[in-house]
Amino acid sequence: METTRQWNTAEVNLDKKYGPQINGEMVEPVNGYINAVNASTGEVLAQIGRGGKEDIDKAVGAARAAFPAWAETPIEERSMLLNKIADALDENQERLKLIESMDTGRAIHEFDLDYKLAINQFRYFAGAILTHYEGESRPVDNGYLITKKEPLGVCAQIIPWNVPMIMASFKLAPALAAGNTLVLKPAEDACISVLEFGKIISEILPNGVVNMVPGIGDEAGQALIDHPDIDKLAFTGSVPVGRLVGKTAGERLLPVTLELGGKAPHIVFPDVDIDTAVENATLGYTFFNGESCILGTRLLVHDDIYDEFTEKLIERAKQIKIGPPTDRSTRLASLINEKQGEKVLNYFDIAREEGAKILYGGNRVTVPGHEHGYFIEPTIIEAEPNMRIAQEEIFGPAATITRWNNVEEVIKMANDVEYGLAAGIMTENMENAFVVANKLEAGSVWINSYFNFQTGAPFGGYKNSGVGREYSKQALNEYSQLKTIVAAYKRPPLGTFL
Ligand code: NAD
């Protein structure tokens, strides 16, 4: 197992072109290619297929053809194959981390967490599937009742660019474990690591079980959700596209899971040790370059400690090393692209116009040799809870900070937002922690340790943050349907009904 070797960028040896992967083969895309660029240097890393309707047709056809045999594959074998995928991902992780760091611009040290979660997904579902079928079958009067879980069929899966391997594993592992075949559309802004992973998977699974079609959202993505031979839609991304996917699912009566945006409150009680609370809060708003749906970007800090906490938060922000993504000592690196960078900087202007106060940061930073990249300072903004900067998803390394005085008020503030994906609480008092946690409208609540992901813990959103749960046994249900079979030993005697 290779977990310690460090690769350098010249060693990753990328393919020149990454076309759609259909039926176990990489094929030429019908609409040609688009460039995949290094987020911080602008260097062209490779070309990725610009998938279109015809590629999607072929991929869905391959998934449909592979479905009956995969659905009938014994669970012990499916489980073994998922473990093989986990092993292969483990063995290849250092190279894939480096590719992903260049492609997304995120600091390479963060990918240790991404790949730990991704590998765990395959191992978890390899185990979970073995208990998925423990059923509710039972003897009934004059016979026997069987409740069966069956796969749904061909799943359409669409993922975003921010954490490509986490997203791919969250989608692939439960769908495959439950016996589905699939077509995955990775994000056009960062997908090389996922397409490399696709090549690895094609050596392990039967042809057609996993198909990947890269491409642009309103081309390949739209063609995938519109395809008439799809049995399930699974989407992670923004709320507007999530609504579109949900609408399509509604019109066609397809099961759907949606993992959408977030704007998580992180509540700080006055009884905390301020230094460790500041560290946890800083991790909570800066990790993933701030480009994540789960970040604790709305800091709600009790009045009694607000001034000291804020001062220390600013001091901590000043120490964060901004640098090249592939340098292991970097803690904040480049945003994905100019569009995202400008969006974040524009939010800082909006904040100023609204009367919010930028206490620290707010600027783009130049990193020598990486001038193409949008490196943004960690940014702390004193804001009222109803301001746009405190309500909308920024997707950059920025947090608002707001004071509170009583618990009912802070719960209201925390919930007064369209999203409900995650939340954090810091206190020494577990009674306070649980009283507040119970009242927060969020799918995940982390007390005293942000991003405390535990394998098998359901993950998903309240309110506009989504529909359904991943990362847990619940995900197997999202990729299964129930059938009840009732068998009678004897037919009813003549004359029973007539
Ligand atoms: P996005 O919605 O623009 O794109 C996500 C994916 O959808 C991409 O693959 C894109 O190509 C595709 N897409 C775009 N238009 C489409 C269409 N018309 N039909 C089908 N597919 C289409 O989101 P993004 O900018 O890539 O990602 C950022 C968003 O994702 C943020 O809002 C973030 O919060 C959210 N996100 C949520 C989670 C979660 O688990 N809840 C995780 C990561 C990211």
Side-chain angles (χ1 to χ4, degrees):
M1 267 192 298
E2 182 175 0
T3 51
T4 51
R5 180 172 170 217
Q6 302 300 310
W7 294 70
N8 65 54
T9 44
E11 278 182 288
V12 290
N13 196 19
L14 294 175
D15 292 353
K16 285 201 168 48
K17 291 177 173 180
Y18 291 85
Q21 296 174 18
I22 299 174
N23 212 20
E25 284 192 315
M26 197 175 294
V27 299
E28 279 296 312
V30 176
N31 296 333
Y33 290 89
I34 50 179
N35 286 339
V37 296
N38 181 313
S40 67
T41 65
E43 169 203 6
V44 175
L45 293 169
Q47 293 201 299
I48 54 157
R50 182 173 179 164
K53 190 173 172 307
E54 288 173 52
D55 304 299
I56 293 290
D57 266 350
K58 284 187 209 147
V60 173
R64 176 61 62 200
F67 174 64
W70 182 247
E72 303 250 304
T73 300
I75 53 170
E76 294 79 3
E77 198 177 329
R78 292 209 298 261
S79 167
M80 181 271 292
L81 290 169
L82 286 182
N83 271 321
K84 267 196 176 175
I85 293 175
D87 290 344
L89 190 54
D90 192 351
E91 276 160 26
N92 287 281
Q93 63 172 304
E94 294 309 321
R95 175 171 179 263
L96 294 173
K97 282 175 191 172
L98 185 54
I99 294 171
E100 214 164 302
S101 174
M102 293 190 294
D103 210 2
T104 60
R106 284 177 45 214
I108 191 152
H109 92 101
E110 293 187 346
F111 290 99
D112 294 343
L113 176 66
D114 288 44
Y115 277 71
K116 185 176 154 205
L117 294 178
I119 294 163
N120 271 350
Q121 276 295 278
F122 287 97
R123 294 209 196 293
Y124 174 76
F125 285 106
I129 195 61
L130 299 176
T131 63
H132 181 51
Y133 300 97
E134 287 165 0
E136 290 151 26
S137 303
R138 59 190 161 94
V140 292
D141 188 30
N142 181 35
Y144 208 86
L145 177 155
I146 298 163
T147 310
K148 258 187 98 206
K149 287 175 184 156
E150 297 184 348
L152 295 167
V154 176
C155 303
Q157 304 187 319
I158 298 178
I159 58 173
W161 45 263
N162 59 337
V163 286
M165 198 55 75
I166 295 182
M167 291 295 102
S169 67
F170 273 35
K171 293 281 176 282
L172 295 178
L176 293 173
N180 302 278
T181 57
L182 58 96
V183 178
L184 178 83
K185 210 277 308 157
E188 55 271 46
D189 292 312
C191 62
I192 303 177
S193 57
V194 174
L195 296 172
E196 281 284 341
F197 184 40
K199 291 187 340 189
I200 294 169
I201 291 175
S202 70
E203 302 288 310
I204 299 171
L205 296 184
N207 290 345
V209 171
V210 170
N211 305 276
M212 295 189 183
V213 181
I216 296 169
D218 51 18
E219 297 176 2
Q222 190 73 49
L224 182 56
I225 62 172
D226 286 344
H227 197 285
D229 199 24
I230 291 292
D231 299 305
K232 150 102 190 177
L233 299 177
F235 172 80
T236 299
S238 61
V239 170
V241 182
R243 281 191 211 284
L244 198 78
V245 176
K247 198 170 162 218
T248 306
E251 278 163 4
R252 305 210 352 237
L253 300 178
L254 292 177
V256 63
T257 38
L258 302 171
E259 299 287 352
L260 309 177
K263 186 79 178 174
H266 201 170
I267 299 170
V268 190
F269 275 77
D271 61 354
V272 293
D273 164 64
I274 294 187
D275 292 327
T276 52
V278 162
E279 190 71 11
N280 192 36
T282 302
L283 174 85
Y285 84 91
T286 60
F287 207 77
F288 305 110
N289 268 342
E291 295 167 304
S292 166
C293 47
I294 52 175
L295 292 166
T297 52
R298 283 191 301 145
L299 291 167
L300 305 174
V301 181
H302 193 276
D303 207 16
D304 288 356
I305 58 162
Y306 183 89
D307 292 338
E308 189 183 349
F309 184 94
T310 305
E311 199 177 305
K312 288 189 166 171
L313 193 71
I314 292 169
E315 282 315 305
R316 188 66 190 86
K318 287 180 186 166
Q319 295 160 10
I320 293 175
K321 185 181 168 195
I322 301 175
T326 55
D327 178 339
R328 275 240 157 222
S329 65
T330 293
R331 287 297 174 269
L332 260 189
S334 167
L335 300 190
I336 184 82
N337 54 27
E338 181 181 354
K339 185 173 155 218
Q340 186 63 24
E342 289 298 330
K343 180 183 157 199
V344 171
L345 293 172
N346 185 45
Y347 262 116
F348 299 156
D349 291 339
I350 292 170
R352 290 185 193 97
E353 282 160 21
E354 283 183 307
K357 203 158 138 201
I358 299 197
L359 302 177
Y360 181 74
N363 301 301
R364 182 178 176 188
V365 176
T366 303
V367 173
H370 299 261
E371 287 77 6
H372 179 83
Y374 269 77
F375 296 80
I376 308 275
E377 289 172 322
T379 300
I380 300 158
I381 307 162
E382 194 169 51
E384 294 301 320
N386 59 349
M387 290 178 172
R388 281 185 66 190
I389 194 76
Q391 289 283 322
E392 298 177 18
E393 195 175 41
I394 300 171
F395 240 51
T400 57
I401 187 160
T402 304
R403 46 176 103 224
W404 61 273
N405 277 301
N406 77 63
V407 174
E408 289 310 315
E409 175 198 12
V410 78
I411 292 168
K412 192 166 174 303
M413 253 188 232
N415 288 335
D416 189 15
V417 65
E418 69 169 293
Y419 299 108
L421 190 59
I425 301 168
M426 285 190 267
T427 175
E428 307 304 318
N429 179 325
M430 278 300 139
E431 186 180 349
N432 275 343
F434 276 96
V435 167
V436 174
N438 285 334
K439 292 186 178 172
L440 290 181
E441 295 163 359
S444 296
V445 180
W446 292 299
I447 297 169
N448 286 327
S449 179
Y450 211 76
F451 301 131
N452 198 350
F453 271 103
Q454 295 297 326
T455 310
F459 175 74
Y462 279 36
K463 304 194 286 192
N464 285 358
S465 288
V467 175
R469 293 293 178 270
E470 295 189 321
Y471 199 59
S472 58
K473 275 187 113 171
Q474 178 57 28
L476 289 176
N477 294 331
E478 311 272 7
Y479 284 102
S480 305
Q481 54 195 334
L482 281 173
K483 179 180 282 173
T484 301
I485 301 174
V486 186
Y489 299 137
K490 292 192 186 110
R491 281 178 293 284
L494 288 176
T496 306
F497 301 116
L498 297 173

